[in-house]
């Protein structure tokens, strides 16, 4: 029970403010200055190697490794092209860009998650939310554009 309430009302109404009833104190969260904390790998070599291996899988490393002919990004005449003409195959540079875009969109979702941690610091949370939404939307949109160009639905 709060000591000031006990001193103020304790003698007048002892049956309400006796030892049985306890008035809890409410601790309100304090708005701190914004500090961004993203889940990052520790200093363990195994975690770092796991992230590198996941990036290798996302960019299609196994597919690139089992192909007979590996092309960086060009046609038979030596002209540089970015996207492979069919949807069944991909250039190495195209796979790298797609992998980076997937990671950028993933970073956007991490920022969206981090914005919920700073709900009491409204201005900072909104900034993180807008940046995260932009990164997630941009990564997804550019990937969809690449797929549309490869499938022939979008003219370049």
């Amino acid at each position: 029970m709060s000591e000031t309430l006990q001193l103020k009302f304790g003698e007048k109404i002892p049956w309400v403010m006796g030892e049985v009833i306890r008035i809890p104190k409410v601790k309100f969260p304090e708005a701190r200055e914004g500090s961004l904390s993203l889940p990052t790998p520790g200093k363990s070599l195994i975690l770092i190697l796991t992230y590198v291996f996941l990036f290798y899988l996302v960019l299609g490393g196994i597919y690139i490794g089992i192909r007979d002919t590996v092309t960086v990004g060009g046609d038979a005449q030596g002209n540089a092209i970015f996207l492979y003409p069919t949807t069944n195959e991909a250039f190495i540079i195209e796979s790298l860009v797609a992998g980076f875009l997937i990671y950028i969109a993933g970073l956007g979702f991490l920022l969206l998650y981090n914005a919920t941690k700073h709900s009491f610091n409204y201005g900072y949370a909104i900034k993180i939310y807008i940046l995260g939404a932009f990164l997630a939307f941009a990564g997804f949109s550019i990937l969809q554009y690449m797929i549309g160009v490869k499938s022939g639905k979008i003219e370049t």
Side-chain angles (χ1 to χ4, degrees), residues 110-126:
L110 282 175
L111 288 174
L112 288 175
Y113 168 70
N114 201 349
T116 62
K117 292 181 179 181
H118 299 282
S119 60
F120 293 105
N121 193 352
Y122 184 73
Y124 185 68
I126 289 295

Side-chain angles (χ1 to χ4, degrees), residues 2-55:
S2 173
E3 294 175 11
T4 57
L5 286 175
Q6 179 67 35
L7 293 174
K8 189 173 184 180
F9 298 109
E11 296 177 3
K12 296 178 184 173
I13 46 175
W15 59 91
V16 174
M17 297 295 182
E19 294 296 322
V20 182
I21 297 176
R22 185 172 164 236
I23 301 173
K25 292 183 181 179
V26 178
K27 287 187 175 182
F28 291 104
E30 297 177 10
R32 289 174 276 153
E33 193 60 35
S35 62
L36 188 64
S37 62
L38 292 176
T40 57
K43 296 183 181 188
S44 172
L45 183 63
I46 294 173
L47 284 175
I48 293 171
L49 291 176
T50 303
Y51 277 110
V52 169
F53 180 69
L54 287 176
F55 181 73

Side-chain angles (χ1 to χ4, degrees), residues 16-141:
V16 174
M17 297 295 182
E19 294 296 322
V20 182
I21 297 176
R22 185 172 164 236
I23 301 173
K25 292 183 181 179
V26 178
K27 287 187 175 182
F28 291 104
E30 297 177 10
R32 289 174 276 153
E33 193 60 35
S35 62
L36 188 64
S37 62
L38 292 176
T40 57
K43 296 183 181 188
S44 172
L45 183 63
I46 294 173
L47 284 175
I48 293 171
L49 291 176
T50 303
Y51 277 110
V52 169
F53 180 69
L54 287 176
F55 181 73
Y56 175 76
L57 290 179
V58 165
L59 68 89
I62 295 175
Y63 170 72
I64 292 170
I66 63 172
R67 287 180 39 191
D68 293 335
T69 59
V70 178
T71 55
V72 176
D75 58 2
Q77 289 79 25
N79 300 326
I81 56 175
F82 178 68
L83 296 173
Y84 202 82
T86 65
T87 56
N88 297 333
E89 305 231 6
F91 290 128
I92 293 174
I93 190 72
E94 180 183 350
S95 298
L96 282 171
V97 170
F100 280 120
L101 288 173
I102 289 171
Y103 266 65
I104 286 173
L107 177 65
F109 284 112
L110 282 175
L111 288 174
L112 288 175
Y113 168 70
N114 201 349
T116 62
K117 292 181 179 181
H118 299 282
S119 60
F120 293 105
N121 193 352
Y122 184 73
Y124 185 68
I126 289 295
K127 289 175 190 174
I128 293 176
Y129 182 79
I130 289 172
L131 180 63
F134 174 76
L135 287 177
F137 181 75
F140 180 74
S141 299

